[in-house]
Amino acid sequence: MAGDLERGRQKVDWARAHMPVLEGIRRRFETEHPFRGLTLSAVLHVEAKTAALALALQAGGADVRLAAGNPLSTDDDAVAALKEAGVDTRAEKGESISAFRDGIRAMLEADPDVIIDDGADLVALVHTGRKDRGKIRGSTEETTTGVTRLKALERSGGLLFPAIDVNDAEMKHLFDNRYGTGQSTLDGIFSATNLLVAGKVCVVAGYGWCGKGVASRLRGLGGEVVVTEVDPVRAIEARLDGFAVRSMLDAAPTADLIVTVTGNTHVVRAEHFRVLKDGCLLANSGHFDVEISRTDLDGMAVSHKTVRPNVEEYRFPDGRRTYLLAEGRLVNLAAGQGHPVEIMDLSFALQALSAEHLAQHGRTMAIRVHPVPPELDRRVAEAALAPLGVSLDTLTPAQVQYMAQWEGGS
Ligand code: ADE
């Protein structure tokens, strides 16, 4: 649906006003033009914060092209504002899978110099479609799933250009994955259901950084949180963080809400649906819509209807019902507004600096998956201190000297 331009402008202005780190970078880009003459193709969740990133890159001289990272995550108002600003944007909320794929294809047809990806769909298309680096200097990657795909390409020896793993930068995963996913997942669940968390048994599948965030926020709202894990170390970490840890099969019969954040497939499937508590809500915050098996739900349910926007009721033969939120797509963006603005300020500041790094050095960088250069991570941290109301102590000369005695020692 065509977005409302005025509302789009307001949303983008609001985001920019709360993204001081990215705005500082935008002002520098405006004078230095690090992307002059370059095309930047991005496949991202297209919403107001993403628009702020696109505008910062554009201020740096880039011809910015943007396509949706998911068919349900687009904010059409933000698209209207982006188009007005001259960013070629291919995204519409609820678009068909073929329109979604066409959008990504258009990003490649733009013959980009730098790629910004969230989930590695554009990088995958280069490797399966064109199979040629062209003038691509490199790509940056936003999310855990995308990094997993990039590392698989690297291992196979088939990676065509350097990639920067923004996801694993400290200023990204410690905050975006934990506090961003923690808050925005709940935002999506609230918007879809308008139900209470307090007193509910909430099962969180996966205790990576995203799972930690979701579990802690659910507990903060009075949920009785159970974590499921396949990794023994993470299972113990969750237990010592104070959560019950059970198998999904044990947890499902008492679950009022299940949230998947594993990055894996069919985490909730037929065997769990057979024992699921009546009325259980099912939500996914992982990148792909594969964590809750819709195939099994469709196969087992005797009826299926939409009961609210973003809530589908499935009824099993014995009368039990379950409610799938946002079609099993990432609930935080499909039903909510994505991560809080201040969090995306940090993540997108890293994206902007990493894209600049590739524009400057990509042609001579080794073809592998690189971490974000530590000095960029630190620059973002330093720029974020004052806006977040944080001040640091500094080491006294005696403390510097004290620490120096250990340096270089074994
Ligand atoms: N907004 C834009 N990109 C996002 C992402 N990857 N996760 C959550 N919110 C976002």
Side-chain angles (χ1 to χ4, degrees):
M1 203 172 56
D4 181 292
L5 176 58
E6 190 45 40
R7 251 196 338 247
R9 284 195 198 119
Q10 284 176 351
K11 287 180 183 179
V12 176
D13 286 349
W14 176 262
R16 286 179 60 182
H18 295 86
M19 298 177 86
V21 181
L22 184 63
E23 277 300 292
I25 293 169
R26 188 189 63 76
R27 282 195 297 275
R28 178 173 65 76
F29 281 180
E30 229 165 27
T31 56
E32 295 179 6
H33 290 122
F35 304 113
R36 194 195 305 273
L38 301 187
T39 299
L40 261 68
S41 285
V43 174
L44 294 168
H45 300 295
V46 180
E47 47 105 344
K49 284 96 79 181
T50 315
L53 171 64
L55 296 179
L57 299 168
Q58 191 186 51
D63 174 6
V64 182
R65 313 292 179 101
L66 185 56
N70 182 291
L72 278 189
S73 63
T74 300
D75 180 331
D76 292 330
D77 300 335
V79 173
L82 277 161
K83 286 186 172 163
E84 186 202 35
V87 177
D88 181 349
T89 308
R90 313 287 175 101
E92 187 178 355
K93 190 168 179 81
E95 65 194 352
S96 66
I97 296 294
S98 75
F100 169 66
R101 292 203 178 120
D102 287 349
I104 298 176
R105 213 168 295 121
M107 295 303 103
L108 190 51
E109 282 159 9
D111 200 13
D113 298 276
V114 175
I115 285 174
I116 301 182
D117 232 349
D118 185 331
D121 280 342
L122 183 50
V123 168
L125 185 61
V126 180
H127 288 78
T128 55
R130 192 168 90 179
K131 297 192 179 81
D132 172 37
R133 177 174 184 172
K135 58 188 176 72
I136 299 169
R137 297 182 187 190
S139 70
T140 67
E141 174 51 51
E142 172 75 8
T143 201
T144 316
T145 294
V147 171
T148 305
R149 295 174 85 184
L150 285 171
K151 291 203 167 149
L153 271 173
E154 182 184 43
R155 271 197 307 278
S156 74
L159 189 64
L160 291 170
F161 41 77
I164 296 186
D165 167 5
V166 173
N167 179 66
D168 289 296
E170 295 205 326
M171 289 302 291
K172 202 280 184 180
H173 74 270
L174 290 177
F175 309 117
D176 178 305
N177 299 27
R178 185 167 27 166
Y179 303 113
T181 307
Q183 181 168 322
S184 64
T185 298
L186 268 58
D187 171 28
I189 295 169
F190 296 155
S191 301
T193 66
N194 196 213
L195 294 176
L196 183 70
V197 167
K200 287 201 168 54
V201 175
C202 304
V203 177
V204 178
Y207 204 65
W209 287 109
C210 295
K212 288 186 200 358
V214 174
S216 87
R217 268 43 192 159
L218 286 168
R219 176 163 62 188
L221 283 162
E224 189 183 322
V225 180
V226 179
V227 168
T228 71
E229 248 306 336
V230 292
D231 179 308
V233 177
R234 283 186 175 170
I236 292 169
E237 189 184 7
R239 185 71 195 106
L240 299 191
D241 283 346
F243 299 107
V245 182
R246 290 206 254 289
S247 70
M248 185 60 81
L249 209 50
D250 280 350
T254 54
D256 297 301
L257 164 68
I258 298 178
V259 184
T260 55
V261 258
T262 69
N264 214 323
T265 187
H266 291 193
V267 176
V268 192
R269 52 185 182 269
E271 61 185 296
H272 309 120
F273 297 142
R274 266 181 225 114
V275 296
L276 202 58
K277 182 176 172 183
D278 180 31
C280 181
L281 307 171
L282 301 173
N284 167 52
S285 231
H287 185 77
F288 288 121
D289 58 340
V290 295
E291 303 209 14
I292 300 165
S293 172
R294 292 194 64 170
T295 320
D296 287 354
L297 269 181
D298 288 332
M300 292 170 69
V302 288
S303 70
H304 165 214
K305 63 180 179 192
T306 298
V307 292
R308 281 169 64 88
N310 284 316
V311 184
E312 292 164 277
E313 179 191 278
Y314 288 80
R315 190 179 283 271
F316 298 116
D318 60 6
R320 283 174 308 121
R321 294 149 300 169
T322 189
Y323 297 98
L324 180 66
L325 308 190
E327 302 175 14
R329 295 187 189 277
L330 5 79
V331 73
N332 60 339
L333 280 144
Q337 299 183 67
H339 290 354
V341 183
E342 299 93 325
I343 291 290
M344 291 316 294
D345 186 27
L346 307 177
S347 303
F348 282 164
L350 282 169
Q351 283 285 5
L353 294 180
S354 298
E356 181 186 29
H357 188 81
L358 286 172
Q360 287 167 344
H361 307 291
R363 281 181 295 203
T364 55
M365 285 165 69
I367 298 183
R368 60 180 175 82
V369 181
H370 295 259
V372 168
E375 65 274 15
L376 302 190
D377 221 359
R378 196 173 170 82
R379 253 159 71 187
V380 171
E382 282 169 354
L385 289 173
L388 289 174
V390 178
S391 56
L392 294 181
D393 278 335
T394 44
L395 295 175
T396 63
Q399 287 171 325
V400 171
Q401 206 178 356
Y402 178 82
M403 293 309 290
Q405 71 180 312
W406 312 116
E407 276 164 19
S410 57

